[in-house]
Amino acid sequence: MAPKRIVFGGFLHETNTFGPSLATYRDFEGGGGYGRMSEGEELREKVRGVNAAIGGAMEVGEQQGWECIPTIYCMASPSAHVTQDAFERITARLLELIAQAGEIDGICLDLHGAMVTQHLDDGEGEILKRIRAQVGADLPITVSLDLHANVTPLMVEMADVLESYRTYPHVDMAETGRRSARMMARLLAGEKFAKAFRQIDFLTAISWQTTFENPARDLYARLEELVADPRCPSLSFNMGFPAADFPDCGMAITAYGPGAEIAAEQLALAIEAAEADFAGPVWSPEEGVREAMRIAEGATKPVVISDTQDNPGAGGDSDTMGMLRALVACGASGAIGNIFDPASAAACHAAGEGATIKLALGANSKIPGDAPYEAEFLIEKLTDGRFLARGGYFSGRTMDMGPSALLRIGEVKIALVSTKAQMADREMFRSLGVPPEDEKILVVKSSNHFRADFQPIAEAILVCAAPGPMAVDPATLPWTRLRPGLRTSPLGTPFRS
């Protein structure tokens, strides 16, 4: 019997509709810290052994003996809306490559689930709708989604199975792809799955969504118990991306199988019971630095501060200066990264290692309450920005941060880069000559993904709210289009249009 012919592809973006920068076609071509757009055999080799859902799905496909047909795979750093040009060009190319594949038996996609474009609220729903129009209603389609997907009714309708990450930091991306492909194998064997879908009526900040701690740790443990029942072979809890201003923003549950409705209802009850626990302490920049200095006095490990509101993994530009100002003002000793400022990085490379250079550093995104940091900096090290990531999140990826520099002002070291990516891997510091384990304080522009590699070396973790576009409290965002009744923070005020 001829092997099953399965198409694989991916188009990923997490959209912060309040962010300062659009995602253009060029951004997807370059891929930020995630690697360049790829097609065909280049795609296959690029994702092999990497912590990516499409890589895990293709691994299972090869084990199943399928003919795995790679199409296109691209992603861009989280930002404001995807441009209409980028969405239409990439979606058209995906559809073209699916058509060129000829007779196929199924499609496995790697999507994010929180894409908003200049002309569409529901990017993924539209992608799936267009694919369905091309291939018909009966072809099996399974989709891997990010834990932060804002799942919509159209996405549920158009896909046979939506399978989502269960960890934050996302250390199970490849495993999610494997689960998605295993569900594809069952669909190919003739199984059909009933669907259940629930939307949860409150938003919570991503800083308190880590599965390393409660309440999320216990909620995903409950999910694992429920999905162990063979009557519900697929169950996902998406905590949502709480910075997308459209009606389907927020938490959701998808479940599949004859026991889907019961499993979805039980998980929804557990989530609703934990609503009040999705909260934690937030420090102002200088208060957080002073607290970190106090803890560091008797510590043998660094204190890690999350500069959560400028997280480039959530739509920030990784260039606000609030935490750098606080470190210098408090006389702290430590390191901060990444600061995304290509022009400053180019000036450093022109000046050379060992030079002292005057810069107006950062703040190119023009966030209210922020301004460039104007000072003289010592250029301690210059690199091309290429290195292999070894931490749990970026694991296995060859990173290309572009021309990079290590700057110093006082006792503060600054990781300056030309490509935007959150500080989620210790090699980002180490590649610039900074062993992060040896620092007293580490400030990372990341909300939670840093925990995969930094939590094991941290004496303590603090969350600070310096100016930035990813609000640590979603209730403070200027919402206009949420669904009525959705609480914009745990136990908070319901949205009214």
Side-chain angles (χ1 to χ4, degrees), residues 92-390:
R93 183 58 176 161
L94 174 60
L95 290 168
E96 179 183 24
L97 291 169
I98 292 172
Q100 289 177 7
E103 293 293 326
I104 58 175
D105 298 291
I107 299 174
C108 279
L109 294 177
D110 183 359
L111 305 176
H112 184 284
M115 181 192 298
V116 182
T117 77
Q118 288 180 310
H119 61 311
L120 299 164
D121 282 341
D122 181 7
E124 288 84 359
E126 182 67 20
I127 292 167
L128 291 166
K129 181 180 176 181
R130 293 185 190 184
I131 291 173
R132 275 288 177 220
Q134 179 169 302
V135 303
D138 297 328
L139 190 81
I141 299 176
T142 65
V143 182
S144 302
L145 292 178
D146 194 287
L147 175 147
H148 291 109
N150 291 317
V151 182
T152 69
L154 184 61
M155 291 162 62
V156 176
E157 178 187 356
M158 292 293 122
D160 291 285
V161 174
L162 302 173
E163 188 71 54
S164 301
Y165 310 160
R166 298 175 185 172
T167 62
Y168 184 34
H170 305 328
V171 296
D172 70 331
M173 291 186 281
E175 178 55 32
T176 300
R178 295 184 192 105
R179 292 197 304 270
S180 177
R182 292 181 191 120
M183 291 300 287
M184 172 61 73
R186 296 179 65 163
L187 290 164
L188 293 172
E191 290 190 65
K192 301 291 184 183
F193 300 108
K195 303 175 183 180
F197 178 49
R198 298 282 191 284
Q199 289 180 312
I200 306 299
D201 285 330
F202 68 92
L203 301 179
T204 181
I206 61 174
S207 291
W208 318 125
Q209 292 179 356
T210 176
T211 56
F212 284 5
E213 299 176 359
N214 282 328
R217 181 173 57 196
D218 283 353
L219 290 173
Y220 282 91
R222 179 62 178 142
L223 183 153
E224 295 285 357
E225 292 173 355
L226 291 167
V227 82
D229 186 332
R231 294 172 298 173
C232 182
S234 176
L235 177 64
S236 291
F237 167 36
N238 298 85
M239 286 196 276
F241 186 61
D245 194 10
F246 80 116
D248 290 309
C249 178
M251 296 181 174
I253 297 166
T254 53
Y256 299 88
E261 289 288 351
I262 294 173
E265 184 62 22
Q266 290 184 353
L267 186 55
L269 290 172
I271 295 163
E272 290 160 0
E275 180 173 357
D277 299 325
F278 279 99
V282 179
W283 302 80
S284 71
E286 288 200 13
E287 289 173 341
V289 170
R290 292 192 189 100
E291 176 66 6
M293 293 171 71
R294 183 192 68 77
I295 296 170
E297 283 182 4
T300 58
K301 298 187 291 186
V303 179
V304 179
I305 296 176
S306 165
D307 186 1
T308 187
Q309 296 196 145
D310 192 35
N311 171 16
D317 273 353
S318 199
D319 70 348
T320 63
M321 295 289 100
M323 289 310 304
L324 176 58
R325 282 193 166 84
L327 288 168
V328 176
C330 294
S333 174
I336 181 172
N338 289 315
I339 304 299
F340 170 61
D341 188 340
S344 292
C348 290
H349 276 255
E353 281 188 12
T356 298
I357 186 171
K358 187 172 183 178
L359 296 170
L361 187 65
N364 296 305
S365 53
K366 297 179 172 54
I367 297 297
D370 191 43
Y373 193 100
E374 298 186 34
E376 289 190 341
F377 300 88
L378 174 64
I379 304 170
E380 291 206 334
K381 188 177 178 66
L382 298 171
T383 76
D384 63 3
R386 290 183 62 82
F387 57 90
L388 179 66
R390 302 179 188 279

Side-chain angles (χ1 to χ4, degrees), residues 168-171 206-208 210 212-213 302-308 311-313 337-338 391-394 422-429 442-464:
Y168 184 34
H170 305 328
V171 296
I206 61 174
S207 291
W208 318 125
T210 176
F212 284 5
E213 299 176 359
V303 179
V304 179
I305 296 176
S306 165
D307 186 1
T308 187
N311 171 16
N338 289 315
Y393 176 64
F394 283 122
Q422 64 180 301
M423 176 58 79
D425 196 291
R426 281 184 259 167
E427 291 299 320
M428 291 177 161
F429 279 128
L442 296 168
V443 177
V444 295
K445 287 185 177 284
S446 176
S447 295
N448 264 314
H449 284 318
F450 73 91
R451 291 177 182 268
D453 207 23
F454 285 86
Q455 187 153 319
I457 66 163
E459 182 73 24
I461 294 174
L462 306 178
V463 175
C464 281

Side-chain angles (χ1 to χ4, degrees), residues 390-409:
R390 302 179 188 279
Y393 176 64
F394 283 122
S395 179
R397 296 181 188 269
T398 298
M399 308 295 292
D400 186 352
M401 305 306 298
S404 300
L406 179 68
L407 305 181
R408 180 191 286 271
I409 180 169

